[in-house]
Amino acid sequence: MMPNITRGGKMPGLVMYLAGPGRANEHTNPHIVGGSDHVTVMVDSGVELTHDDSLDIARSLDQPRKAFGTHVTSPIKQWNEEIRKRETVGRKDSHVWHCSLSLREDEGKLTDAAWGTIANEFAGRMGFIDPDGAKSSRWVAIHHGASKNGNDHIHLVVQMVTEDGSKARVHNDFDRAQKICGELEKEFGLAVTEGRETGQVLSAEKPGEKRRAEREKAPWVEKIELRRRLRAALSNATSEANFVSRVYQAGVIIRPRFAEGRTNEVTGYSVALPAAAGSGRDPIFYAPSKLDKSLSLPKVRAALGTYANGDPDALGVWQEHHNSTRATDRPRTGGISKELRQKASDGTVTHADLARIFAAGSMKYERDEPGPLAEMSEHHAQLAVSPPAYGYMARQLDRAMSKNAMESWNALLIQAARLARVMAETGFGGSRPQLGAANTAMATVVIATAQERLNEQAERIATRQAKEPEQSETQTVTEPERPDYMSPSEFADLTSALQKRPRISPDVGQPSTAATDTQEPDHKVSDREQGATTNSEGVTR
């Protein structure tokens, strides 16, 4: 079960949206499954909410704030280029606390009674319910059917002004909500969110980010695409300066962060993609450590074997590129370094290595529309947040060292996918079964696709040779032989595997591509794909 928290200042708009048809008419039978007494006495449990009901509920939730005149705000921050940091430029109304609790699509539905119990436990442990009543917040839990993606969920709406006019405690609410959901998963027999306890999760796309990509007709969500390009740039970088240049060549705006009061020591960086043409907005910058911890500057420097406090030779490159973007519609990042190729050949790769190999392959073969290779990169990056430094022996990959670029690339991807499959089956598959299963399935597709490209190349070469004048007219094109690094069963299943190209979203407690429920503009609703199982507490599918 995954929580997603947003803050806003329009109580009537939010409640009416949750009780309404939704943006895609996906809301069916909206009804209350839990809440404070002030709300639950207004409408019977399970009764479908009307427009008037939603207005009455919103007025009841807003009553303490209006009675005491308490203002709850949060800062609005923007980047200041002159001082090189984010600064507060204003404040916005944030008295509405909203959280969706979502299950996986394949785990079915819970009963209203089960959702009601979970909602009360969650609200109580978050501190919104005061045993004495004075510090309690008014809240409501609304269930309105599955999201567009099919996952069951509820929405909790909480008033941040308590019954005595004070402000509700929401410090560290994101982390506390994650911890509480982990507790409830175990207590109610829900499917445990993989990666929550170890912290091995990547930043998921937010509903607003996905809607912006759809609005601008972009083939990707920017934060996911930035991860792909940065990993690909790192896969062949030979130094810190070379890494910065490759990021720049990939069409990414890269901006250094200098040490306090200094301009000769880079301590971090931020990245952005150029704003879409005609969007009228500025580029949106992200800290790589927030996208993927293995892309933070200290981790990049460690991967490159450079100085922990930076390479002096890179300073000029940082300064040269930090306010410019490579003018190109065809971003490039280069190939794979010799060191990384050798590690793949020896079978000594880590998850971080595989994430970079697949990202580089994706930039070559899926440049304009990320596909299976990009998904494989995300799979292994999920486990590379704290990279486990273990490897597995594999056969030498002679073809990966070939001078033929096509043969080299695809042979390397086949070897990387085979290693990925082995690591899934013998390594992280035990503790992360859903991610392991997705990785294994996708690895089969990657192997099949790469082998198909190799076979097509072999056929083209054979056909070309057959047409050469000096060749005998009776010469025939032979079928490509099975590569020695593939088993007979793998080779026999290539055709069927290519016909079954699953689009699998890695389950890491937050889907990277899950379709989400939506709501009014200042409340971002993310219906996460999580799961539930039947138990004795009445929590049913």
Side-chain angles (χ1 to χ4, degrees):
M1 182 172 67
M2 275 302 297
N4 184 64
I5 299 170
T6 57
R7 299 278 296 275
K10 297 180 180 179
M11 183 68 78
L14 175 60
V15 177
M16 284 192 292
Y17 169 78
L18 297 178
R23 293 179 182 270
N25 294 318
E26 74 277 19
H27 296 175
T28 58
N29 186 28
H31 56 277
I32 293 176
V33 294
S36 54
D37 293 341
H38 302 82
V39 175
T40 56
V41 298
M42 301 177 65
V43 183
D44 292 336
S45 177
V47 176
E48 184 170 354
L49 297 174
T50 66
H51 180 270
D52 289 340
D53 291 335
S54 62
L55 286 176
D56 290 340
I57 292 170
R59 280 194 287 264
S60 177
L61 292 174
D62 250 350
Q63 196 276 331
R65 178 181 68 89
K66 292 183 176 180
F68 290 97
T70 306
H71 295 286
V72 181
T73 61
S74 58
I76 302 173
K77 293 189 176 183
Q78 291 182 359
W79 176 265
N80 187 315
E81 187 65 33
E82 294 183 359
I83 63 176
R84 308 295 297 170
K85 64 172 60 175
R86 285 166 59 84
E87 64 175 355
T88 299
V89 295
R91 301 191 71 84
K92 61 181 179 180
D93 192 358
S94 300
H95 67 271
V96 181
W97 191 90
H98 170 226
C99 178
S100 62
L101 298 177
S102 307
L103 307 180
R104 281 171 48 93
E105 175 190 357
D106 57 8
E107 290 296 331
K109 297 180 64 176
L110 300 185
T111 64
D112 283 348
W115 271 128
T117 303
I118 290 173
N120 274 281
E121 286 293 327
F122 182 82
R125 299 183 195 189
M126 284 296 297
F128 298 135
I129 301 177
D130 178 17
D132 296 330
K135 298 293 183 181
S136 288
S137 294
R138 296 190 182 187
W139 65 280
V140 66
I142 296 176
H143 183 272
H144 57 198
S147 68
K148 290 185 294 184
N149 206 45
N151 52 309
D152 196 21
H153 64 281
I154 61 172
H155 295 270
L156 276 79
V157 182
V158 184
Q159 171 59 250
M160 289 290 91
V161 179
T162 66
E163 292 297 328
D164 65 356
S166 61
K167 298 178 183 179
R169 175 179 173 269
V170 291
H171 175 69
N172 204 28
D173 53 348
F174 287 86
D175 291 339
R176 288 193 293 122
Q178 288 282 353
K179 180 180 178 181
I180 292 169
C181 282
E183 296 170 352
L184 294 176
E185 285 172 347
K186 297 175 182 177
E187 294 173 18
F188 288 88
L190 304 177
V192 175
T193 299
E194 294 182 351
R196 176 184 282 126
E197 294 183 354
T198 62
Q200 292 179 321
V201 293
L202 297 180
S203 173
E205 62 186 26
K206 296 180 179 179
E209 294 169 336
K210 187 171 183 180
R211 288 196 295 271
R212 182 172 61 247
E214 294 172 349
R215 184 170 60 251
E216 297 177 354
K217 295 181 172 56
W220 47 59
V221 172
E222 287 193 354
K223 68 196 306 182
I224 310 299
E225 176 62 10
L226 283 168
R227 286 203 288 248
R228 182 173 72 133
R229 297 193 188 189
L230 291 178
R231 291 182 199 130
L234 186 56
S235 70
N236 197 29
T238 56
S239 65
E240 184 177 332
N242 186 241
F243 169 71
V244 176
S245 296
R246 289 189 178 279
V247 171
Y248 177 70
Q249 291 170 351
V252 175
I253 306 173
I254 183 167
R255 187 168 62 186
R257 184 180 70 251
F258 294 98
E260 188 71 27
R262 305 178 64 178
T263 58
N264 61 349
E265 182 181 349
V266 179
T267 59
Y269 69 110
S270 57
V271 290
L273 291 177
S279 64
R281 64 173 176 84
D282 294 329
I284 300 173
F285 282 85
Y286 295 89
S289 60
K290 300 297 183 181
L291 302 176
D292 179 344
K293 291 182 180 178
S294 68
L295 297 172
S296 67
L297 188 56
K299 292 293 181 67
V300 167
R301 285 170 171 169
L304 296 173
T306 190
Y307 304 102
N309 60 346
D311 184 352
D313 295 335
L315 185 59
V317 182
W318 279 112
Q319 295 172 337
E320 176 186 356
H321 294 316
H322 83 280
N323 274 327
S324 60
T325 308
R326 184 170 183 264
T328 179
D329 293 328
R330 305 293 294 174
R332 59 186 178 85
T333 54
I336 303 291
S337 67
K338 281 187 176 180
E339 293 76 12
L340 202 51
R341 285 179 177 271
Q342 190 62 51
K343 292 177 72 174
S345 175
D346 296 339
T348 57
V349 290
T350 66
H351 290 295
D353 295 328
L354 290 177
R356 294 164 192 160
I357 289 174
F358 288 124
S362 178
M363 288 299 295
K364 179 173 179 63
Y365 293 112
E366 307 167 345
R367 188 195 311 266
D368 299 323
E369 187 173 356
L373 293 173
E375 290 187 48
M376 286 292 285
S377 177
E378 286 286 289
H379 286 194
H380 287 279
Q382 300 287 1
L383 292 121
V385 177
S386 299
Y390 57 83
Y392 295 87
M393 294 305 296
R395 298 180 186 181
Q396 290 291 334
L397 187 58
D398 294 333
R399 294 180 73 182
M401 305 304 168
S402 167
K403 293 182 180 180
N404 182 295
M406 177 68 76
E407 186 177 76
S408 174
W409 262 108
N410 288 285
L412 177 66
L413 291 174
I414 288 174
Q415 175 69 350
R418 291 182 69 246
L419 292 172
R421 194 160 56 189
V422 170
M423 294 170 81
E425 293 171 352
T426 63
F428 66 86
S431 60
R432 305 288 292 278
Q434 294 164 343
L435 184 60
N439 186 82
T440 300
M442 194 58 67
T444 301
V445 175
V446 170
I447 291 172
T449 305
Q451 186 60 46
E452 182 183 48
R453 285 193 288 260
L454 285 174
N455 291 345
E456 290 174 351
Q457 182 196 29
E459 291 177 2
R460 286 195 298 270
I461 293 174
T463 301
R464 187 165 58 248
Q465 291 175 343
K467 292 180 179 179
E468 292 178 356
E470 62 271 17
Q471 296 285 333
S472 169
E473 293 183 359
T474 60
Q475 183 176 1
T476 59
V477 178
T478 59
E479 291 292 326
E481 297 181 357
R482 174 177 63 83
D484 59 2
Y485 48 79
M486 296 187 70
S487 67
S489 60
E490 288 175 334
F491 189 72
D493 291 340
L494 287 178
T495 302
S496 60
L498 283 170
Q499 295 173 347
K500 302 175 182 178
R501 297 172 183 248
R503 296 291 297 171
I504 300 174
S505 294
D507 177 7
V508 291
Q510 48 194 19
S512 58
T513 56
T516 57
D517 192 5
T518 55
Q519 61 169 73
E520 62 166 329
D522 67 340
H523 287 85
K524 302 175 183 177
V525 186
S526 177
D527 293 322
R528 311 290 185 175
E529 295 181 354
Q530 299 300 322
T533 55
T534 303
N535 74 353
S536 60
E537 298 291 337
V539 181
T540 60
R541 293 179 180 275

